[in-house]
Amino acid sequence: MRVLLSSDELAAGIDRLATEVRAVVGRRPLTVVGVLTGSIVLVADLIRRLEGPVQVSMVWASSYRGTATRPGELELRLDLLPDLAGRDVLLVDDIFDTGRTLEALLEELGRRGAASVRSLVLLAKEGRAEVATRPDFIGFDIPDEFVVGYGLDFDGAWRHLPYLGVLEEDEIAATRAARVASTRAAEVAVCRNADGRG
Ligand code: IMP
Ligand code: MG
């Protein structure tokens, strides 16, 4: 795996983001709304650098299934959100790719009577946006490659890496092949049991 952003570079980016957010919001209380699961590491680091009062809440969004590297249908869950009426809200996600996740979530949050709703992403992929909305704060613009680590996953793996890495085509292919092999093995086991041969 190729390192795209080291943990030192990520830390410097998050310091810069925290400073930019406070320059706009001032010392007013901020409600940080993280997007599960990819934003967990970013939220944990960001809230410790955001000086001043902060509340944290999470929503869930997913558009990837298993070993896909291009988005599928978007699913959202917002049932853990507190009352946002009158609050200054900062929606925080790991990466802005097509922008569909952020756009849909901003629309949902916009209906809840917040005083303001802004958005922050650690990463934005160049040339991929399919929506007019842009995040208010962007940590790093990156090329159109599939990245993992620092919260971002591929098929549920690699979120724990302290740096951001580019997953090469052969690593993606190997993970897909392993997934196909284990699905086949499970199907064979089910057939054997059904035949009474297991
Ligand atoms: P969007 O709706 O297309 O902007 O996709 C945003 C979501 O897709 C992010 O929150 C990530 O969960 C996921 N995603 C997009 N690109 C990558 C990537 O390169 N690595 C891992 N996850 C990604
Ligand atoms: Mg995500």
Side-chain angles (χ1 to χ4, degrees), residues 11 20 23 37 78 105 142 146-147 162 170 175:
E20 284 175 22
T37 305
L78 292 94
L105 285 171
I142 62 164
F146 200 78
V147 289
D170 55 337
T175 306

Coordinates of all heavy atoms in Angstrom, one line a residue, residues 11 20 23 37 78 105 142 146-147 162 170 175:
A11 N -2.4 15.1 11.0 CA -2.5 15.9 12.2 C -2.4 17.4 11.9 O -3.2 18.2 12.4 CB -1.4 15.5 13.2
E20 N -9.7 26.9 11.2 CA -10.6 27.5 10.2 C -12.1 27.5 10.7 O -12.8 28.5 10.5 CB -10.6 26.7 8.9 CG -9.4 27.0 8.0 CD -9.3 26.1 6.8 OE1 -10.3 25.6 6.3 OE2 -8.2 25.9 6.3
A23 N -12.5 30.2 13.3 CA -12.5 31.5 12.8 C -13.8 31.9 12.2 O -14.2 33.1 12.2 CB -11.4 31.5 11.6
T37 N -19.5 5.2 9.2 CA -18.5 4.9 10.2 C -17.2 5.6 9.9 O -16.3 5.7 10.8 CB -18.3 3.3 10.2 OG1 -19.5 2.7 10.4 CG2 -17.3 2.9 11.3
L78 N -30.8 8.6 10.8 CA -30.6 9.8 11.6 C -31.2 9.8 13.0 O -31.3 10.8 13.7 CB -31.1 11.1 10.9 CG -30.3 11.4 9.6 CD1 -30.9 10.8 8.4 CD2 -30.2 12.9 9.5
L105 N -27.5 14.5 3.5 CA -27.4 14.7 4.9 C -27.7 16.2 5.2 O -28.4 16.5 6.2 CB -26.1 14.2 5.5 CG -26.0 12.7 5.7 CD1 -24.6 12.3 6.1 CD2 -27.0 12.2 6.7
I142 N -7.5 15.3 -3.0 CA -6.7 14.1 -3.4 C -7.1 13.6 -4.8 O -8.2 13.9 -5.2 CB -6.9 12.9 -2.4 CG1 -8.3 12.4 -2.3 CG2 -6.4 13.3 -1.0 CD1 -8.5 11.1 -1.6
F146 N -8.7 5.0 -4.8 CA -9.4 4.5 -3.7 C -8.5 4.5 -2.5 O -7.4 3.8 -2.5 CB -10.0 3.0 -4.0 CG -11.1 2.7 -3.0 CD1 -12.4 3.2 -3.2 CD2 -10.8 2.0 -1.9 CE1 -13.4 3.0 -2.3 CE2 -11.8 1.7 -0.9 CZ -13.1 2.2 -1.1
V147 N -8.9 5.2 -1.4 CA -8.0 5.4 -0.3 C -8.6 4.7 1.0 O -9.8 4.6 1.1 CB -7.7 6.8 0.0 CG1 -6.8 7.5 -1.0 CG2 -9.0 7.6 0.1
P162 N -3.1 4.4 10.9 CA -2.9 5.8 11.4 C -2.6 6.7 10.2 O -2.6 7.9 10.4 CB -1.7 5.7 12.3 CG -1.0 4.5 11.9 CD -2.0 3.5 11.3
D170 N -4.2 -4.4 -7.6 CA -4.0 -5.8 -7.3 C -4.5 -6.1 -5.9 O -5.0 -7.2 -5.7 CB -2.5 -6.2 -7.5 CG -1.6 -5.4 -6.7 OD1 -1.9 -4.2 -6.4 OD2 -0.5 -5.8 -6.5
T175 N -8.6 -8.9 -2.7 CA -9.7 -9.0 -1.7 C -11.0 -9.5 -2.3 O -11.7 -10.3 -1.7 CB -9.9 -7.5 -1.2 OG1 -8.7 -7.0 -0.7 CG2 -11.0 -7.5 0.0

